Amino acid sequence: GQNIDQPTEMTATEGAIVQINCTYQTSGFNGLFWYQQHAGEAPTFLSYNVLDGLEEKGRFSSFLSRSKGYSYLLLKELQMKDSASYLCAVKGTNAGKSTFGDGTTLTVKP
Amino acid sequence: DVKVTQSSRYLVKRTGEKVFLECVQDMDHENMFWYRQDPGLGLRLIYFSYDVKMKEKGDIPEGYSVSREKKERFSLILESASTNQTSMYLCASSLSDIQETQYFGPGTRLLVL
């Protein structure tokens, strides 16, 4: 099975940098996703890591260490619109299936 | 752009009723998923399908069934709705096993009285 842990809530200031961590324990691993979900809306894809290292995409970056079962999502130059829930999801060996963490609710304050 | 649509945004049903939630995707995706999302419990997979007429149980299939008669449509059925099935239901699709990014529909908020 899969066990995914991420902090429940985080708060940061507009313009700052925030790092959201995700640790996982899985019986199989074929990649890790980060999704963003604004209140009342559906999750939307942010990033995908399957190899160790950092993937950068504009203000958002995602890091993966498979040996440590660890990932983080880094958000730079925070904006108020970044206030949302951030979901970590691990793709296992079962075709098509990903397991989601409970999500981290990020609040960006002025 | 991938579009995943769900038949209703809000639904109110009574205990014991049979409930159908419909999901349609327009990008010829092979995989489709049904999740429920509850505060403090995150997204939990109910069922998924990787091909027409194929289905697999997720983590919480009890009390639910699914149907995939056409590639673009994946239905979630609550045979006899109960109050503990009050939740937000999210449908998602992904292109294939290789391309695993999931695209979500807007969700259906179901209230069972």
Side-chain angles (χ1 to χ4, degrees), chain B residues 59-92:
Chain B
D59 300 317
I60 50 163
E62 298 78 19
Y64 303 94
S65 62
V66 289
S67 171
R68 192 162 182 207
E69 296 297 317
K70 294 184 179 181
K71 192 173 186 180
E72 67 271 18
R73 188 180 297 269
F74 192 34
S75 303
L76 180 69
I77 303 146
L78 287 67
E79 296 290 342
S80 178
S82 62
T83 54
N84 63 14
Q85 292 179 309
T86 291
S87 185
M88 168 68 88
Y89 289 88
L90 287 163
C91 174

Side-chain angles (χ1 to χ4, degrees), chain A residues 2-21:
Chain A
Q2 319 271 36
N3 188 37
I4 300 172
D5 287 311
Q6 36 180 146
T8 304
E9 294 180 336
M10 298 183 72
T11 303
T13 305
E14 193 175 14
I17 298 172
V18 71
Q19 178 175 311
I20 302 174
N21 296 325

